[in-house]
Amino acid sequence: MESIILAIESSCDDTSAAVIKNGKILSNIVYSQLEHEQYGGVVPEVASRAHHLKILPVVEEALKIAQVDKKELNAIGFTRGPGLMGSLMVGVAFAKSLAMSLEIPIIEVHHMKAHVLAHFIDDPKPKFPFLCLTVSGGHTQIVLIKDHLTMEVLGTTIDDAAGEAFDKTGKILGLNYPAGPVIDKLARDGVPRFEFPEPRIKDLDFSFSGLKTSILYFLKKEVKKDPDFIKDNLNDICASVQDRIVSILINKLIKAAKQTGIKEIASAGGVSANSGLRKALEETGKKRGWNIYTPQLQYCTDNAAMIAMVAHYKYLKKDFAEQDIAPLARFPF
Ligand code: KG4
Ligand code: ZN
């Protein structure tokens, strides 16, 4: 079935729109809100306002780059959740209004499932069934993917997400938000010589709040002895923190691969952009005979191209939403 679909992502601090034609991405525009840098985290009210200001120009740019007139659209896909309620409302209301005026159907998309389908934007694509380590600012999951739209969460975090562990550590170290990419960069010139404990969590679940506490106590103790400790050891601290976050993720992934017998292993979400994690995945993959799949960097962090992929597969099934649909801050998988 021929299709041209506009997709909208507005769940957190990126306003994004993409156009997909018969399963191929024609454009993907992302406005990453810089408004939050000074606050050390995303401020929900500020995010909603920025989405409100940017959504129209971002959508217009996506249509222009794709060389598609809005009258040619067959459907509009949008992130229904999970995410910040005020941010989601901007994208959902915009998608519903535009679809109503064009008299075309709307397609609801689960943000975390979209992170997984980022693997279907380009080649090589993982083969079903595969496992996906989905690691972002709000989520840390190991997902079993049976087909494009059938997924099961095998393990999840019981407290903080992996991205949060990076961001909260960054805050302690006085780094800008989001701290993940900053720590990644600093870690490249550091040696992971400080030991932080690996939590013992059952099954395939994760925990990162204990790590944050142990980093905090360690730094407090060291700074008491030497006020310049953080400044003088920043690269090594970053390398050590990153090393531990990566080993927590990799060890659970090894357990999941053993339990399921699956060797098709993917990673997705903002933290999958981390160079330490990418390297560890490659090395573990080589050792264990896994096929490793990591999306291009631009499709790791939030973007509408991945929303468009889910919308495309749902469109093929005519899986449309009703106009009275509302966003969900918490959205069961
Ligand atoms: O998927 P994403 O863009 O948004 C959410 O859905 O949360 O992920 C954002 C998270 C932030 O916590 C950010 O610090 C982290 O991804 N992140 C990274 C890197 N790039 C982004 N963490 C570690 N290393 C990176 N290179
Ligand atoms: Zn995300």
Side-chain angles (χ1 to χ4, degrees):
M1 194 163 42
E2 271 262 312
S3 64
I4 304 181
I5 303 169
L6 170 73
I8 291 168
E9 155 63 30
S10 73
S11 65
C12 190
D13 57 346
D14 296 289
T15 316
S16 183
V19 176
I20 187 166
K21 183 177 182 179
N22 301 328
K24 193 174 174 303
I25 298 293
L26 299 184
S27 64
N28 178 46
I29 305 299
V30 184
Y31 170 71
S32 294
Q33 302 173 0
L34 303 173
E35 287 86 341
H36 309 285
E37 248 181 26
Q38 53 182 315
Y39 301 111
V42 177
V43 183
E45 294 253 342
V46 175
S48 315
R49 187 171 185 281
H51 281 302
H52 198 76
L53 287 171
K54 286 292 174 184
I55 190 132
L56 185 57
V58 164
V59 165
E60 281 183 331
E61 182 75 2
L63 290 169
K64 194 173 134 200
I65 301 277
Q67 296 186 305
V68 163
D69 187 275
K70 58 183 182 299
K71 293 198 182 72
E72 294 176 78
L73 294 172
N74 300 111
I76 299 180
F78 61 89
T79 304
R80 185 184 184 190
L84 301 170
M85 183 46 83
S87 293
L88 291 165
M89 278 174 75
V90 177
V92 176
F94 188 93
K96 282 164 66 167
S97 314
L98 183 57
M100 192 183 231
S101 74
L102 296 170
E103 297 183 339
I104 55 175
I106 49 173
I107 302 169
E108 62 162 299
V109 175
H110 191 293
H111 181 86
M112 296 312 292
K113 291 187 177 175
H115 269 301
V116 172
L117 285 209
H119 286 283
F120 292 86
I121 296 173
D122 288 319
D123 287 325
K125 300 176 175 70
K127 289 173 268 313
F128 300 118
F130 68 93
L131 294 177
C132 188
L133 175 70
T134 314
V135 271
S136 72
H139 293 82
T140 303
Q141 299 171 330
I142 294 179
V143 185
L144 167 64
I145 296 95
K146 296 171 186 162
D147 67 44
H148 295 110
L149 299 174
T150 316
M151 308 182 190
E152 188 189 329
V153 177
L154 302 182
T156 189
T157 180
I158 58 168
D159 42 55
D160 289 351
E164 255 176 311
F166 276 107
D167 295 336
K168 287 181 176 173
T169 304
K171 205 168 180 175
I172 299 170
L173 295 172
L175 306 174
N176 270 353
Y177 176 87
V182 186
I183 292 179
D184 188 352
K185 215 166 155 202
L186 290 166
R188 274 173 223 175
D189 298 319
V191 179
R193 61 194 176 88
F194 304 117
E195 271 279 333
F196 297 112
E198 178 156 356
R200 284 199 202 159
I201 308 296
K202 68 171 178 44
D203 303 327
L204 296 175
D205 289 336
F206 301 90
S207 166
F208 289 98
S209 69
L211 177 63
K212 182 193 67 194
T213 313
S214 71
I215 294 166
L216 189 63
Y217 282 126
F218 167 75
L219 291 175
K220 263 193 182 156
K221 195 178 82 204
E222 296 298 328
V223 168
K224 220 179 204 173
K225 288 187 265 173
D226 170 12
D228 289 334
F229 180 80
I230 294 181
K231 186 166 69 60
D232 292 345
N233 297 279
L234 191 57
N235 297 91
D236 291 354
I237 298 168
C238 288
S240 308
V241 171
Q242 179 169 301
D243 228 47
R244 179 49 81 211
I245 295 174
V246 167
S247 80
I248 292 172
L249 296 172
I250 293 284
N251 286 340
K252 288 287 175 163
L253 205 46
I254 291 173
K255 200 169 172 186
K258 267 191 197 155
Q259 270 180 22
T260 57
I262 293 172
K263 289 179 181 250
E264 292 281 296
I265 310 286
S267 65
V271 179
S272 67
N274 185 267
S275 59
L277 178 59
R278 284 178 172 242
K279 195 165 151 242
L281 280 169
E282 285 302 327
E283 285 172 6
T284 314
K286 249 185 219 149
K287 215 186 290 169
R288 295 179 176 267
W290 297 350
N291 293 320
I292 298 292
Y293 303 89
T294 31
Q296 274 185 50
L297 288 181
Q298 58 167 329
Y299 300 131
C300 287
T301 46
D302 287 349
N303 65 88
M306 67 186 196
I307 307 299
M309 284 316 305
V310 179
H312 165 72
Y313 287 108
K314 287 187 115 177
Y315 185 86
L316 296 179
K317 292 190 162 184
K318 289 197 168 30
D319 187 353
F320 303 134
E322 299 294 332
Q323 264 285 345
D324 63 359
I325 194 167
L328 291 173
R330 286 168 179 270
F331 193 174
F333 210 80

